[in-house]
Each structure stands twice: as structure tokens, then as C-alpha cells.
Amino acid sequence: MTDLCAEDLATFYAKPSPRVIAKARPAIDAHAKKFIEMSPFCVLATSGSDGSVDASPRGGGIGFVHVAGPNQLLMPDRSGNNRIDSFRNVVEGSGFVQLLFFVPGIDETLRVGGRGTLSADPGLLASMVEFDKPPRAVLNVAVNEVYFHCGKALMRSKLWSSEKVQRSVMPSIVTVIHDQTGLGEPASQETVEEIYKTQL
């Protein structure tokens, strides 16, 4: 297998159309705002000081990411595994963040880019209580690029199809990690889901 170099790319890919280039906007407009306010899930990508990249799923109630202005998003951080890879990248790495927003039932996605900072301001945390808990911190994104991404990937994957994999085909995550590391004890999926309910 031969790796492609930068010069090879033009051989395999046509230039993007002017409309594809023009759709990248410098701020959140009414359409992007509506999409974010309907979204219960996004993927947060960050880059570390060593050039590494992290992508992390984030979710909450519909509209859990707050549109504070045309160039500002506020994302509350809920309990997780405490690795805080994303937030270490924000404070120690480049600070650049990319968000990919999903709305169940809509194949198009929304991409938002900018620079992130973190806040633990008590008033801000208190304004974002969800699941009866304030967030531990809030990611403040200074937005500089926003654009909608076509729905082809989600259409190909049939992500919103009613055809779903039965959860029972995979062991619980606790069992998987026990098998991989030898740490902790295996547990059923039902047990894991009960634990999750207390940690949202």
C-alpha cells in the first residue's frame, strides 16, 4: 500500500464548489441556532500540546449547549470518567475545539469551530442545573466557523433507522473493561444502567 501525499489529492478529488466554500459562516445564524437548540448530542474534538487529538461524546437534554450569542456557545460538563482529556487539551493544548451536532431524525449535521476556555463561575454553574445537578465546569467556545454538513454519511449508515442492534450482542462496558484490564468486577448491563441513572 502506498500512502498518498498532498500533491496526490487533486488527482482523486475535484475542487469543492463555490457554494461548499461559501457555506462556512463566521458566526451562528438563525438556522444554526435552531439546530443547536434542538440537539441533545454532539461530539467535541480537541487537540493536545503534543499534536494528539481527542474526540468525546457529549449529551444532555434538548438544547443542552447554550447559544449565548452569534459567536459564543456554553457547554456544561456533566459527570464522566474523570480522564478530562478534552479539558486538558483546552487548557494545555491549542485551545482549538470542533463540535459536531446531531439532531435525531435529521441526517444533516452542524459543525462549529472556535477556541475554548473553561469556567467554574458559581453563578454560571447554577444557571445550568440539569438532572438535579449543576455542571462541574462550563466550556466557553468563542465561535469563528459554522457550517452545515450534508446528510450522506448518516444516510449511508442509516443511523436513524428503526433497525437497531440488540444491546445483548455486546457484554456490558464494565465486563469489557474487566476483560481488558483485569480490574474491577464484571457486571450485567442492567446493573450498569442502574449505576448510570445515579450519575447523570
Side-chain angles (χ1 to χ4, degrees):
M1 185 186 333
T2 303
D3 293 339
L4 298 180
C5 63
E7 291 75 17
D8 294 327
L9 295 179
T11 304
F12 295 95
Y13 295 94
K15 288 184 178 180
S17 70
R19 187 168 71 166
V20 167
I21 300 300
K23 74 177 181 178
R25 313 307 298 164
I28 300 166
D29 68 359
H31 299 295
K33 182 175 185 289
K34 181 175 182 178
F35 197 91
I36 293 167
E37 290 174 345
M38 292 190 298
S39 175
F41 177 80
C42 67
V43 176
L44 168 65
T46 58
S47 58
S49 57
D50 60 354
S52 63
V53 176
D54 179 74
S56 174
R58 302 292 166 127
I62 292 171
F64 76 103
V65 175
H66 300 248
V67 180
N71 292 99
Q72 185 183 24
L73 289 180
L74 298 172
M75 175 189 287
D77 183 51
R78 306 296 171 189
S79 69
N81 58 19
N82 292 322
R83 284 181 55 111
I84 55 175
D85 297 311
S86 300
F87 285 174
R88 287 192 193 283
N89 287 347
V90 168
V91 300
E92 297 175 356
S94 70
F96 290 118
V97 302
Q98 284 282 329
L99 295 162
L100 182 62
F101 288 93
F102 295 77
V103 174
I106 297 178
D107 287 327
E108 289 74 25
T109 52
L110 179 70
R111 297 170 64 156
V112 178
R115 279 189 174 270
T117 55
L118 293 179
S119 175
D121 177 78
L124 183 59
L125 300 184
S127 72
M128 294 188 170
V129 171
E130 190 177 11
F131 310 109
D132 298 321
K133 299 174 187 175
R136 297 177 299 175
V138 173
L139 175 63
N140 180 10
V141 181
V143 174
N144 59 28
E145 184 178 55
V146 183
Y147 63 95
F148 283 94
H149 200 97
C150 78
K152 293 174 187 174
L154 271 67
M155 292 173 70
R156 293 179 187 121
S157 68
K158 300 180 180 178
L159 187 62
W160 308 132
S161 168
S162 59
E163 302 172 12
K164 296 181 181 178
V165 172
Q166 295 299 309
R167 183 60 186 83
S168 58
V169 304
M170 279 288 291
S172 74
I173 188 171
V174 173
T175 299
V176 169
I177 294 172
H178 173 267
D179 290 348
Q180 293 172 336
T181 67
L183 300 174
E185 295 297 330
S188 69
Q189 181 63 24
E190 292 75 19
T191 300
V192 172
E193 290 176 4
E194 286 302 314
I195 293 171
Y196 281 165
K197 289 176 184 178
T198 66
Q199 297 178 348
L200 291 175

